[in-house]
Amino acid sequence: MISRLSGTLLEVNPPWVVIDVQGVGYEVEVPNSVLDGLPPVGKPVVLLTHFQVSQDHQSLYGFASAGERILFRQLLKISGIGAKLALTILSGASGDSLARYVADGDTAALTKLPGIGKKTAERIIIELRDKLDDLPAPLPGSPAASGAGSGAQREAADALRALGYKDAEVSRLLRDIADPELDAEALIRKALQQAVS
C-alpha cells in the first residue's frame, strides 16, 4: 500500500497531479483543497495517499492532511458513495467545513455539494457524526473541538471566509498560527499578514 508520497511536483492537470519520487512519476487524483495549496511546479511536495484497487483499475488519491484522508475513507464506507463522489464532496467542502456540516446536522449545506441529494446528505450525517472524534486533530466546528482557542479559531475562520478566502487557505493560515492565547481579532490580523507576505 502507498500511504505517502514525497517528491517533486511535475505536473498539475486538475484533478490530477504528477509527483516525481526518485525518477518514478505517480499520478494522484486530489480534491480542490489540495490543488489550492500546491507549491509551484518543480518544487518539493508531500501528500498523504489512499491507494485503491478495483477489478480493472488502480487509483491513487492524495490529501494534504491526515484528517482529510480519514474523512475520505469514512465517506467510502457510506452506502452509495464511491471514491469519485467522496473526492467531489471534499472538493466542494474542506475537511473542516464537512465536519462542521455533520456536527450541525446541516443537510441544506450538504445538498449544495455536487452529486449529493437529501437522502445521501442524511446518511453522511448519521454515518459520520460519531466518527469525528477519530480525526487526529480537532476540526473547527466538530464536537472534538474544545478549549479556549476553538471559539476564537472558528470566529477567525468565518471572518476570513467572509473576506473571500477559500476553506483550504483559511485552514492553512490558521494552522500556521498555533497560539491558543490569541483572540479572534488577533488571529485574523496575523492570518492576513501571512496571506500578503
Side-chain angles (χ1 to χ4, degrees):
M1 160 136 3
I2 302 167
S3 66
R4 181 179 178 273
L5 291 176
S6 177
T8 304
L9 184 63
L10 277 189
E11 198 178 314
V12 178
N13 248 335
W16 287 276
V17 298
V18 178
I19 300 174
D20 180 295
V21 181
Q22 297 182 350
V24 178
Y26 291 88
E27 188 176 73
V28 187
E29 195 168 352
V30 298
N32 288 342
S33 56
V34 171
L35 291 170
D36 292 339
L38 285 175
V41 170
K43 297 290 184 185
V45 66
V46 176
L47 290 180
L48 299 178
T49 58
H50 174 83
F51 183 56
Q52 189 169 53
V53 180
S54 62
Q55 193 171 2
D56 58 351
H57 198 69
Q58 295 182 17
S59 300
L60 198 56
Y61 301 96
F63 307 94
S65 70
E68 195 172 47
R69 181 173 63 181
I70 289 171
L71 278 174
F72 176 79
R73 288 174 172 170
Q74 296 290 1
L75 285 167
L76 292 181
K77 294 177 184 175
I78 299 172
S79 172
I81 296 182
K84 295 289 183 193
L85 183 53
L87 208 65
T88 300
I89 291 169
L90 289 174
S91 286
S94 71
D96 292 348
S97 296
L98 184 58
R100 191 169 57 252
Y101 299 157
V102 170
D104 295 344
D106 193 345
T107 53
L110 286 169
T111 54
K112 289 178 184 171
L113 300 174
I116 302 295
K118 189 175 181 198
K119 287 187 177 179
T120 304
E122 289 168 352
R123 269 202 311 271
I124 290 170
I125 290 167
I126 291 166
E127 295 280 339
L128 293 186
R129 182 169 276 150
D130 297 333
K131 297 188 173 76
L132 294 179
D133 291 335
D134 296 339
L135 297 172
L139 294 169
S142 76
S146 59
S150 63
Q153 287 268 340
R154 207 165 26 248
E155 195 177 327
D158 289 342
L160 290 168
R161 284 187 197 96
L163 290 171
Y165 287 92
K166 294 180 179 174
D167 286 334
E169 294 170 307
V170 170
S171 297
R172 180 179 52 79
L173 290 169
L174 292 179
R175 186 176 57 236
D176 293 343
I177 308 167
D179 187 348
E181 300 301 316
L182 295 177
D183 62 11
E185 189 177 327
L187 284 170
I188 295 164
R189 196 166 39 251
K190 273 187 169 278
L192 291 174
Q193 286 169 352
Q194 274 184 220
V196 297
S197 63

